[in-house]
Amino acid sequence: MALSIIFSPLLLSFFLFFSLLQPLTFATQKSYVVYLGSHSHGLEPTQSDIERVTDSHYELLGSFSEGKEKAKEKIFYSYTNNINGFAAVLEEEEASSLAKHPDVVSVFLNKGKKLHTTRSWNFLGLEADGMVPPYSLWKKARYGEDVIIGNLDTGVWPESKSFSDEGMGPVPSKWRGICQHDTKDGVVCNRKLIGTRYFNKGYAAYAGHLNSSFQTARDSEGHGTHTLSTAAGNFVPGADVLGYGNGTAKGGSPHARAAAYKVCWPPINGSNECFDADILAAFDVAISDGVDVLSVSLGGDPTEFSDDAIAIGSFHAVAKGITVVASAGNSGPSPGTVSNVAPWLITVGASTMDRAFTIYVALGNRKHLKGASLSDKRLPAEKFYPLISAADAKAADQSEEDALLCKPGALDPKKVKGKILVCLRGENGRVDKGHQALIAGAVGMILANDENSGNEIIADTHVLPAAHVNFTDGEAVFSYLNRSNRAPMAFLTNVRTELATKPAPFMASFSSRGPNIIEESILKPDITAPGVSVIAAFTQAIGPSDADYDKRRTPYNTQSGTSMSCPHVSGIVGLLKTLHPEWSPAAIRSAMMTTATTRDNNGEPILDSTNTKATPFADGAGHVQPNLAADPGLIYDLTVNDFLNFLCSRGNTKKDIKLFSDKPYTCPKSFSLADFNYPSITVTNLNDSITVTRRVRNVGSPGTYNIHIRAPPGVTVSVAPSILRFRKAGEEKMFKVTFKRAPKAVLTDYVFGMLTWKDGKHFVRSPLVVRHY
């Protein structure tokens, strides 16, 4: 007791002193990372190299603080091996001043992080901060438990962990398929990968005799493994691509069963690899096998339905209650390029997600440009290299146009060696351009977008240090090359993964656009989903760049295309089939379309690749939102007879109808395409006025829905009735929508709007598309 009396004044003084110091010492200080790029000492630094670099960090920070000795106190990490930089406790003013120093690439807060997923399902709201929230469709639908997803593609790599059957129960009794050539050298199935088949006779009709390597469903190209695992792959921790994007790989329906139907083979006759005869055979068998969902990431030019194997095969699948999801095509951004446009299909466009694999281009004029890459190659030293346009590096017998595109044989190695080469996007493959640059002796490549590609940049697994930059930044590079008074120079930083990037999504330039040139009254694509730099399982038969010269192997790879967005929707369909087994394929499509969003993560309208507002010809009804699709409120349904009536209205003969119907069908005497109960409404011949009819069914609780209209410019829109009251689930109501040309309106092109039914909880949206006749 006496001791406490003696020391209490001293303790009180201490605490008072400490409390006075605390705000001064800690309140305005935070830990930062100061990134300086790479080192000049190579991959194996000596002790003197490390000491030199460390001392340079002290010198740099000391010039902004109270000297070198104080800097030593502030720095708690010096990155001295591969990364050049340091971590330190800094005042905000110090951090701000350091960021302006010419030797500093960036200064950023030392923020806490969590282990990350391969991202797209997080972006779609099925998980949040590494957790699956109670409202997630994953939980509601038991992760797609026992739904069977079939995939028409290049086959499967069965050894991938994405197709492990650990923890899975018996194969569903409804499954009637087989594991074709289930041998040690073929494809061994299990309780996850429950069926595989291959179809190559249509291919052989063009290619001739096929050897034994074609008698398997094993995937030697990677595309099929990637798409099937995106739709139905397991949770696989520790997935990455060449060290980037590390996290847990997930399929949309991770507890689903998977079946692979190999219909695509090495390209012949140009780029033909998936032949109609094989596609149709696969549809035929898959329907009998008992699949619930078919994912089809392939297609060709838009074709009349009766001449389209995918349209025919999918009609028969839908007639049996199987939902078919297909890719919109990669022929964008030109209008009228969308394929797989049959109204019984779900057609999916491609857009970005909020993750980027970022690399910076530093030009000699001190401009820094943000690019994308997944190259595991790095420039060996942090120094600037000579920069040259590929057009100026052309071989003597080649054109500037071919050289600028970095086509094979178009470059002069004497002009390229030791330099960073600038290539233009287009015609030949992006990774191949880098390979041509490497062959010619380049130390790195800047891949600049052409105007059509706009702001879309793609992270590819390049074989040399490379940065893909958008059109505007590409113009800045070429301007620097053309106007520089000194020898142009540049440097490429290392790649890093960035999350929560904005804006996202925006539309990929390659995603095929409407209008639907086969049937203009049906809006296509229906919806958009992540399709850029998607990480999923991959074959071990080839390297990540899909090139013979690439000897690298990675169990997971990144790919881009509507082929990647399609299986995202297929996985979501699997969840909705599990949650609502009574819903028809058309009901499932309606639920996704009417709950889709047309806003990005800034709350602004989704942008096209040209930085202008995307139209429904790019994103359809918008970006898919799986959690909201589980409870859409109202749905626009369609039956097989509705689809047959649709065909009848287009002038199809009885012979044509037989291609689609398994029994005789008599066309109605009158049927208007304007009344076809599609979730979107397209009017292609507005002269004065036109009225269309729609029918909705309540799949939620009783409620009252009010109409909200955003009319297309130059058009007035009215809806009758304007209020729909539902007393029970399953009740149906009809309404009419009248479009009138506004007085003095001059309509020379398509215009767009939105019709929304609201009950306070649900927002049931339908895009409006109008063209003057």
Side-chain angles (χ1 to χ4, degrees), residues 242-307:
L242 304 176
Y244 302 115
N246 184 47
T248 299
K250 301 178 178 78
S253 287
H255 290 181
R257 314 300 174 119
Y261 298 88
K262 185 172 182 175
V263 298
C264 300
W265 307 87
I268 55 173
N269 296 347
S271 60
N272 295 315
E273 49 196 333
C274 319
F275 286 82
D276 281 348
D278 299 328
I279 293 168
L280 207 52
F283 268 111
D284 190 39
V285 171
I287 293 168
S288 299
D289 283 348
V291 300
D292 298 302
V293 183
L294 277 172
S295 191
V296 186
S297 289
L298 53 96
D301 293 332
T303 306
E304 181 58 45
F305 306 131
S306 58
D307 299 326

Side-chain angles (χ1 to χ4, degrees), residues 685-703:
N685 56 350
L686 181 63
N687 190 359
D688 183 21
S689 69
I690 189 171
T691 298
V692 305
T693 302
R694 287 294 187 270
R695 180 184 70 253
V696 290
R697 183 167 74 247
N698 181 31
V699 293
S701 55

